[in-house]
């Protein structure tokens, strides 16, 4: 089976910062996709970043194709990032998901 890895994130301007734990050996890229669990049909996108053993990604690591959290005024939505660890050939080595509310 796929190995377990985990991640957490913090909101910031641009794409969030991420903390990464137990990313599988052989991972070449991490693919991120954000879903608003309150409005799953809204496409927030995400990003793919090269991976070389780092345990954190800074704010703004996704250069394009990402729309940040934007719930209607007065509402709090829950956002989930699904993260895939991809090998050099694009095979999925592991997946994880992490969520948090916005605004907090």
């Amino acid at each position: 089976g796929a190995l377990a890895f985990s991640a957490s994130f913090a909101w910031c301007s641009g794409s969030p910062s991420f903390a990464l734990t137990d990313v599988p050996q052989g991972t070449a890229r991490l693919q991120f996709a954000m879903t608003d669990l309150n409005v799953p049909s809204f496409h927030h996108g995400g990003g793919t970043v090269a991976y070389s053993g780092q345990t954190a990604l800074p704010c703004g690591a996704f250069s394009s194709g990402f729309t940040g959290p934007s719930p209607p005024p007065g509402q709090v939505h829950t956002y989930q990032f699904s993260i895939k660890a991809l090998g050099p050939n694009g095979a999925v080595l592991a997946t994880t998901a992490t969520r948090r509310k916005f605004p907090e």
Side-chain angles (χ1 to χ4, degrees):
L3 300 169
F5 80 106
S6 60
S8 60
F9 67 97
W11 298 116
C12 34
S13 61
S15 61
S17 60
F18 288 86
L20 306 165
T21 308
D22 297 327
V23 176
Q25 216 163 355
T27 298
R29 292 184 310 285
L30 294 171
Q31 186 178 70
F32 297 81
M34 188 171 91
T35 303
D36 179 343
L37 297 180
N38 298 86
V39 188
S41 60
F42 185 91
H43 185 70
H44 280 278
T48 302
V49 296
Y51 182 76
S52 57
Q54 65 268 42
T55 56
L57 290 179
C59 291
F62 310 156
S63 52
S64 64
F66 174 72
T67 302
S70 51
Q75 291 186 27
V76 175
H77 285 194
T78 301
Y79 294 87
Q80 176 172 292
F81 272 97
S82 300
I83 308 166
K84 294 178 182 176
L86 304 176
N89 61 356
V92 177
L93 303 178
T95 61
T96 191
T98 178
R99 58 178 64 170
R100 82 191 285 168
K101 294 185 181 307
F102 185 90
E104 294 183 293

